[in-house]
């Protein structure tokens, strides 16, 4: 996953099973934590992801997801539509999430230090 993550401009999930779902949520949680700012799209062929998208909407309505977290995952029925949405996507950073700079070792050391102070 590391090579894919580093070299990718965006992430697109095709219809798939549990492994695909795991990867969708893994990369989405990284976006929510500001580890990356790359768009994430679902190619919703024949409505394959309709129920998942409805679940995410429901989770946001019930306040288990913020509306900004819900907007991390975008979808479209065709490749052309999805590519257009991915190219125009702008991630709005959720101020309620951590502002840690995950790309440097210094921030990781600071996080470990901050955590040890709270223990």
């Amino acid at each position: 996953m590391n090579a894919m993550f580093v070299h990718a401009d965006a992430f697109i999930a095709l219809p798939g099973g549990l492994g695909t779902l795991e990867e969708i949520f893994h990369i989405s949680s990284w976006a929510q934590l500001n580890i990356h700012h790359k768009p994430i799209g679902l190619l919703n062929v024949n409505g394959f992801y309709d129920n998942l998208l409805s679940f995410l909407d429901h989770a946001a309505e019930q306040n288990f997801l913020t509306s900004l977290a819900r907007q991390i995952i975008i979808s479209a029925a065709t490749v052309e539509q999805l590519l257009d949405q991915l190219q125009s996507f702008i991630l709005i950073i959720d101020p309620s999430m951590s502002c840690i700079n995950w790309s440097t070792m210094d921030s990781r050391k600071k996080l470990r230090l901050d955590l040890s102070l709270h223990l």
Side-chain angles (χ1 to χ4, degrees):
M1 169 112 150
N2 190 31
M4 177 185 74
F5 175 76
V6 170
H7 298 291
D9 294 324
F11 302 98
I12 298 174
L14 305 175
L18 291 176
T20 303
L21 293 172
E22 189 273 332
E23 293 297 336
I24 291 166
F25 288 118
H26 185 141
I27 206 69
S28 299
S29 65
W30 281 10
Q32 184 182 17
L33 292 169
N34 300 315
I35 295 172
H36 73 86
H37 298 108
K38 300 173 184 184
I40 303 161
L42 304 179
L43 186 57
N44 194 16
V45 177
N46 296 326
F48 182 84
Y49 285 115
D50 285 352
N51 290 332
L52 177 63
L53 295 166
S54 292
F55 168 76
L56 293 172
D57 292 338
H58 177 71
E61 290 167 7
Q62 298 296 312
N63 296 316
F64 286 97
L65 286 177
T66 65
S67 61
L68 292 174
R70 170 59 189 95
Q71 293 172 25
I72 289 171
I73 299 175
I74 58 177
S75 69
T78 69
V79 172
E80 294 80 13
Q81 292 170 337
L82 187 57
L83 290 176
D84 286 343
Q85 289 184 40
L86 290 172
Q87 289 174 341
S88 63
F89 179 77
I90 298 171
L91 178 66
I92 300 171
I93 296 174
D94 191 339
S96 67
M97 297 308 296
S98 171
C99 293
I100 295 172
N101 179 354
W102 295 94
S103 64
T104 66
M105 289 303 286
D106 290 339
S107 64
R108 292 180 192 170
K109 289 177 187 174
K110 183 181 182 320
L111 176 62
R112 276 189 242 120
L113 179 61
D114 289 347
L115 290 174
S116 66
L117 293 175
H118 293 289
L119 295 177

